[in-house]
C-alpha cells in the first residue's frame, strides 16, 4: 500500500476510488485528519492531508508522530510526501517539480522522534540520505512517462514557519546549499525513517523564496501556481500507480 501525505493545495485527493475514511488513534495522539484508503489505478493507497482536510493545522502544530504512526498502522510500505515549497535558484520557477535528495532541518521545538519517553530505548537511525532512492526513482520515472519535467535532486530546507523567510535567511539557506524551502519536511522524513518506511518528497515550487523576487509574495500568486503544480502532482501519482 502506498502512503500519500498531502500538503498545501492537496487537502483532498479526488483520484481515490472506493474511498473509506478511517479515524485512527495512536499512542502519540490523533493524526491531522481521518485517513482515506482506496485505490488509484492499480494501487492501494492511504491518503493523509498533513494540515487536515480543511487546512486548519499549522506546520509547527502538526502531530507528525501520530500522522506517521497512523500510516504505518494502515500498512503503508512506502510514502510519497507532497509539499508546496519556495524556490531558491531561478530554475525551476513557480509551477516546477523537484524531487530533493537532501535536507537541512532548521525547525525547533517539534517532537521529532519515537525513541523517547519512559521505557523507550535510545536509537540513532542512519539519516545520511534522508530520502528513499527507490521511491525517488519511481517518482522521476513517473514524471518522465507523464511528460512532466522534474528536477532530480536538491536540498530541502525545513523552516519553522508559519511566516515566510527574510531575504537574509534565504541567502543563508542558499550558502548552506539549499535549493527549496518548506515548513513541514521535518521531522516527517526522520520519523518515516525511524519506522523504516521508504519515504520521498514530491515538491512543487509555488513562489520564488524571500528576496528572490522584487514583488511581495502574495497568497493569490501562490494559489495560482499551486493549482498548476497540483495538476502535475495528480498526473505523476496516476502514472506512479498504473
Ligand atoms: N518558504 C517556506 N515554506 C513555503 C514557501 C516559502 O517560501 N512557499 C511555500 N511553502
Amino acid at each position: 500500500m502506498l502512503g500519500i501525505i498531502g500538503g498545501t493545495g492537496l487537502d483532498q485527493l479526488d483520484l481515490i476510488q472506493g474511498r473509506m475514511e478511517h479515524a485512527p488513534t495512536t499512542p502519540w495522539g490523533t493524526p491531522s485528519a481521518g485517513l482515506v484508503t482506496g485505490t488509484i489505478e492499480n494501487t492501494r493507497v492511504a491518503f493523509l492531508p498533513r494540515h487536515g482536510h480543511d487546512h486548519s493545522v499549522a506546520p509547527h502544530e502538526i502531530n507528525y508522530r501520530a500522522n506517521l504512526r497512523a500510516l504505518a498502522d494502515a500498512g503503508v510500505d512506502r510514502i510519497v510526501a507532497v509539499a508546496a515549497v519556495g524556490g531558491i535558484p531561478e530554475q525551476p520557477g513557480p509551477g516546477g517539480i523537484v524531487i530533493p535528495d537532501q535536507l537541512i532541518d532548521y525547525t525547533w521545538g517539534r517532537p521529532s522522534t519515537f525513541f523517547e519517553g519512559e521505557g523507550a530505548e535510545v536509537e540513532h537511525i542512519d539519516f545520511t540520505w534522508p530520502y528513499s532512492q527507490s521511491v525517488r526513482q519511481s517518482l522521476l520515472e513517473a514524471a518522465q512517462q507523464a511528460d512532466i519535467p522534474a528536477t532530480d535532486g536538491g536540498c530541502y530546507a525545513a523552516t519553522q514557519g508559519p511566516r515566510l523567510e527574510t531575504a537574509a535567511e534565504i541567502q543563508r539557506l542558499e550558502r548552506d546549499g539549499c535549493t527549496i524551502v518548506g515548513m513541514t519536511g521535518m521531522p516527517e522524513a526522520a520519523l518515516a525513517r525511524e519506522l523504516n518506511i521508504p519515504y520521498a518528497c514530491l515538491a512543487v515550487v509555488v513562489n520564488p523564496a524571500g528576496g528572490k523576487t522584487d514583488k511581495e509574495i502574495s497568497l493569490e500568486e501562490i494559489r495560482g501556481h499551486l493549482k498548476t503544480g497540483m495538476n502535475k502532482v495528480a498526473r505523476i501519482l496516476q502514472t506512479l500507480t498504473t
Side-chain angles (χ1 to χ4, degrees), residues 54-111:
D54 56 356
H55 203 85
S56 57
V57 190
H60 62 290
E61 293 177 327
I62 293 170
N63 188 338
Y64 293 95
R65 291 191 293 197
N67 284 359
L68 272 290
R69 186 71 252 171
L71 284 168
D73 290 346
V76 310
D77 56 12
R78 60 202 189 283
I79 293 174
V80 170
V82 179
V85 298
I88 298 178
E90 219 168 296
Q91 294 299 327
I97 300 283
V98 181
I99 322 275
D101 60 352
Q102 272 300 333
L103 65 78
I104 299 180
D105 186 7
Y106 300 92
T107 67
W108 46 270
R110 302 181 181 190

